[in-house]
Amino acid sequence: MSLTIEQAVKAHVVAAAAFLPTVEATFHYDARDPFAVRVDFPASATLEGTEVSWTFARELLRDGLTGPAGSGDVRVRPHGWERLIVEFHAPEGMAVVHLPSAEVRGFLERTAAVVPPGEERITVDLDRCLAALMREG
């Protein structure tokens, strides 16, 4: 079984225009960092024309499927059963993205097959984490 999971999703970027442009965002999960998920947006989704990545807690994404979650840079909430709204807050501004809930649920199920929720601490490689901290310090 793979320790890394990637899944493309069709994301609708909310803008001032009535049209919601669709972009292909990609979710990533790596068992070596079991608490986190990453989502990558292509350059076409940004005003600057550069790719953007956000890393945040897998639990935040899971909790956001059933109710509002997050109070910091990333906030997630359901919009009915079929859609998930994710807000990304940065000093430059805010982006709001609509994602298909079914695709996000599928991604989370695949991550849970690799590292079940609640067992993340068991899989963390403490030696690797300490070595990384020592290099940074």
Side-chain angles (χ1 to χ4, degrees), residues 65-95:
L65 284 167
T66 57
S71 59
D73 294 344
V74 180
R75 300 171 193 173
V76 184
R77 68 182 184 278
H79 185 70
W81 177 253
E82 295 182 5
R83 199 171 342 163
L84 186 67
I85 297 175
V86 183
E87 296 178 7
F88 298 97
H89 296 260
E92 300 82 16
M94 179 180 81

Side-chain angles (χ1 to χ4, degrees), residues 23 41-53:
V23 299
F41 293 95
S44 61
T46 68
L47 295 174
E48 295 81 20
T50 57
E51 292 181 7
V52 173
S53 295

Side-chain angles (χ1 to χ4, degrees), residues 11-28:
H12 294 282
V13 179
V14 178
F19 170 69
L20 295 178
T22 300
V23 299
E24 188 167 288
T26 305
F27 277 96
H28 302 269

Side-chain angles (χ1 to χ4, degrees), residues 96-128:
V96 178
V97 178
H98 292 208
L99 302 168
S101 297
E103 291 183 31
V104 174
R105 280 188 195 89
F107 170 73
L108 289 171
E109 288 170 7
R110 291 173 60 211
T111 69
V114 174
V115 178
E119 294 186 16
E120 294 91 350
R121 293 192 194 290
I122 297 169
T123 63
V124 173
D125 183 349
L126 292 178
D127 290 335
R128 183 181 60 82

Side-chain angles (χ1 to χ4, degrees), residues 27-29 35-39 54-58 61 107-108:
F27 277 96
H28 302 269
Y29 180 77
F35 291 101
V37 295
R38 187 181 85 233
V39 61
W54 284 81
T55 301
F56 52 95
R58 175 173 69 158
L61 191 59
F107 170 73
L108 289 171

